Amino acid sequence: MLPTGRRDAAARPPARPVPDTSSEALRVLGRALLDEVDVLADRLTVMVLQRESVYAERDMIEELRAACRTNLERGIQVLAEQVPAGVDPEDTSRRTGSLRARQGIPLEAVLRAYRLGGRVMWEALLATSRGRFGGGYDEALLDAAGYVWRVNDSSSSALVEAYRLEELRLQSHDLSRRHAVLDGLIEGRGSDPAFLRDAATVLGLPDSGALLCVVAPVVPSGEDPLRAPQEALAGHGVASAWFLRPRDEVGLVALGTRPEQVVLDALRGCAYGRVGVSPVLDGLAAVDAGYRMAHTAARTLTGPGLAVLDERLPEALLVDSPELLPRVVQSALGGLLELPPADRDTLLETLEELLACGGSPTHAAAALFCHRNTVIYRMRRIEAATGRSIADPRDRLLLTLGVMAARTR
C-alpha cells in the first residue's frame, strides 16, 4: 500500500532528473533505510572482507565497519533528500579517499568496496519496496536506477579525486624528506648515528655495507643524463635510490655481495650524459666523500659516458686543480700549441698514440695507419716544439698530463 502524504512542493529541494513518482519512491524508501544503516553496514563489511584481505591483514576491521556505515548513511541521505543543511553530500567520500591514501590501501581495493556499497544500497531499496510496501515502489524504483548509480559514481569520483590529491601530497612530502636526507648525507651528517638510522629508513637502503655514489650533472638542454637507472639495476636485483636535483642527478646504489662491475655495466647503458661513479664506499656514512669523488669523475669527461674515478685519477687530479691546468699545458706542450691548427691537431693525435704505445713508433704507426718513418718524423717535430723527450719517463708523464689537460680545458 502506497503512502498518500506528500510534502509541500515549495519545501522540496531542486527537482532530480527522475520522474516525480521515482523521486518520491527514493525519499520514502531512503527514510526507511536510515533506520537500518547499522544492519547494512554489517552486511557490507562482511562482503568487503570476503573480497579484500588487506583490511584484515592490517587489523582495520572496526575502522572499515565505521567507514561503511558513514558512507552508506550519507548515500541514503542523498537519495532520501535528508542531507543536513550546509553539508557537502560527498564529504564522507572525500574523507575516505584521503584516509585510504594515507593508510596505503590500493585505490582499486577502495573502489571495489564502494561498488559493493552501491550494490548493498540498491538491493536494500528493492527489498524495502517489496517487504514494506508490497512491491508498490518497484516500477518507480526501476525508473530511478540510473540516478541511483550516478549518485554512487559521483561519490566514487569524489573519493578518487581526494585519494589522488592526498597521494600527491604524500609523495611530495616523502620526496622532500628524501631530498633532505640526501642533502644531510652530502653535508656530512652521516657521522650522527641517529641521523644515519633515519636516513637508511627513509631511503630504503642499508646503513652499512658496500655502496656506490653516482653523479650525473644536468646539461643546459634539460635532457636526462641518465635514463631509467633504477629499473636497469632492479633487473639485476640491485637496490638503489635516485634524486633529481637542480644541478645534478644523484644515485646511491647498495652493492650488497654483488660485484661492482655488474652495476657499472648496467649503468653504462643508461648514460646519455656525463656520469661519474665513486669508489666503493663503506655505507651511507661515507656519502659525503663519495658524492665529491663521483662529481669529480663526471667532470673528467668531455662527452657522454660513464667515468669511474679509480680509472681516471690523473684526469681527476687535473679537473680538481683548475689553476694548474694552464701551467701543465704550457709546460708540457709549449710551442706545439702555437702551430697552425691542422698541423697542431695532427701532431697532438700522433703524440697521444705514441704515449699510448709506450713511445713505440712502430705500434703508433699501426694505430695511425701510416708509415713508421712518418711517425718518427712527427715525433722529432713534437720533441722540438715541446722541448720534451718521449723516451724520458718524466717527460713522458708530463706530456701525458699535458694532453689530458689540453683535452679537459
Side-chain angles (χ1 to χ4, degrees):
M1 180 177 181
L2 295 178
T4 57
R6 291 182 178 272
R7 294 187 298 170
D8 186 277
R12 291 183 182 178
R16 295 187 280 200
V18 294
D20 289 343
T21 54
S22 297
S23 188
E24 180 68 13
L26 291 177
R27 284 194 293 271
V28 172
L29 297 175
R31 289 195 203 103
L33 287 185
L34 285 174
D35 296 329
E36 300 179 19
V37 171
D38 286 312
V39 175
L40 297 178
D42 290 340
R43 184 185 308 165
L44 177 57
T45 301
V46 171
M47 292 173 67
V48 173
L49 290 173
Q50 289 173 341
R51 292 163 176 79
E52 307 294 343
S53 60
V54 63
Y55 295 100
E57 291 169 355
R58 301 193 185 189
D59 195 22
M60 294 174 56
I61 295 176
E62 289 302 320
E63 195 276 341
L64 172 64
R65 198 270 179 189
C68 287
R69 188 192 189 286
T70 299
N71 284 286
L72 278 171
E73 182 178 43
R74 182 49 47 82
I76 295 169
Q77 287 176 343
V78 171
L79 297 180
E81 295 183 332
Q82 295 288 307
V83 178
V87 172
D88 177 5
E90 295 173 343
D91 61 349
T92 60
S93 298
R94 297 184 192 281
R95 284 199 298 271
T96 300
S98 297
L99 179 61
R100 293 292 182 258
R102 289 195 295 273
Q103 293 167 332
I105 304 297
L107 180 57
E108 294 77 10
V110 183
L111 286 175
R112 283 193 290 269
Y114 246 65
R115 284 195 290 270
L116 287 173
R119 173 180 157 187
V120 165
M121 193 159 58
W122 173 255
E123 290 175 350
L125 288 169
L126 193 57
T128 301
S129 172
R130 293 172 179 175
R132 289 199 187 185
F133 304 102
Y137 285 114
D138 285 9
E139 184 176 348
L141 194 57
L142 183 61
D143 289 336
Y147 172 75
V148 172
W149 286 105
R150 283 197 298 274
V151 169
N152 185 262
D153 287 345
S154 179
S155 297
S156 297
S157 297
L159 179 142
V160 170
E161 180 184 15
Y163 188 103
R164 295 298 191 198
L165 287 173
E166 183 66 12
E167 194 174 43
L168 287 173
R169 189 190 70 81
L170 292 171
Q171 288 173 353
S172 176
H173 179 269
D174 181 59
L175 187 61
S176 297
R177 190 180 180 199
R178 284 163 59 85
H179 274 274
V181 164
L182 176 68
D183 290 342
L185 290 173
I186 290 174
E187 292 164 4
R189 293 185 60 193
S191 58
D192 178 352
F195 180 84
L196 193 62
R197 287 192 298 271
D198 185 54
T201 301
V202 171
L203 300 179
L205 297 174
D207 58 356
S208 60
L211 186 80
L212 290 177
C213 183
V214 183
V215 175
V218 175
V219 295
S221 66
E223 295 183 10
D224 292 337
L226 274 166
R227 298 183 187 175
Q230 191 163 20
E231 291 79 357
L233 293 175
H236 296 277
V238 178
S240 61
W242 296 86
F243 308 83
L244 185 60
R245 291 149 44 93
R247 297 185 178 179
D248 52 37
E249 184 172 357
V250 178
L252 302 179
V253 183
L255 290 176
T257 59
R258 295 169 186 80
E260 177 186 6
Q261 197 60 44
V262 171
V263 170
L264 298 179
D265 290 343
L267 289 177
R268 278 196 177 89
C270 305
Y272 286 79
R274 295 180 302 150
V275 181
V277 183
S278 74
V280 176
L281 309 174
D282 184 15
L284 293 175
V287 166
D288 53 340
Y291 173 81
R292 292 193 297 272
M293 289 188 286
H295 195 275
T296 295
R299 288 166 52 218
T300 67
L301 296 169
T302 57
L306 188 80
V308 181
L309 182 73
D310 284 351
E311 298 174 359
R312 300 179 65 82
L313 287 175
E315 293 92 340
L317 290 172
L318 290 171
V319 299
D320 258 4
S321 304
E323 69 281 357
L324 291 181
L325 278 176
R327 301 296 306 162
V328 170
V329 171
Q330 184 59 39
S331 178
L333 302 181
L336 183 61
L337 298 177
E338 299 172 4
L339 297 174
D343 208 14
R344 177 197 64 204
D345 292 344
T346 298
L347 293 181
L348 276 175
E349 182 185 18
T350 302
L351 174 58
E352 283 189 276
E353 287 300 335
L354 281 166
L355 294 171
C357 297
S360 167
T362 302
H363 293 154
L368 292 168
F369 301 103
C370 64
H371 196 278
R372 179 176 180 274
N373 290 340
T374 301
V375 173
I376 293 174
Y377 169 71
R378 292 177 185 174
M379 183 171 67
R380 289 171 180 165
R381 291 192 62 198
I382 290 169
E383 291 180 336
T386 62
R388 305 289 175 184
S389 170
I390 295 175
D392 182 87
R394 186 176 180 85
D395 280 355
R396 191 160 61 245
L397 173 60
L398 185 58
L399 286 168
T400 300
L401 291 174
V403 170
M404 288 181 179
R407 297 301 187 200
T408 300
R409 189 175 63 169

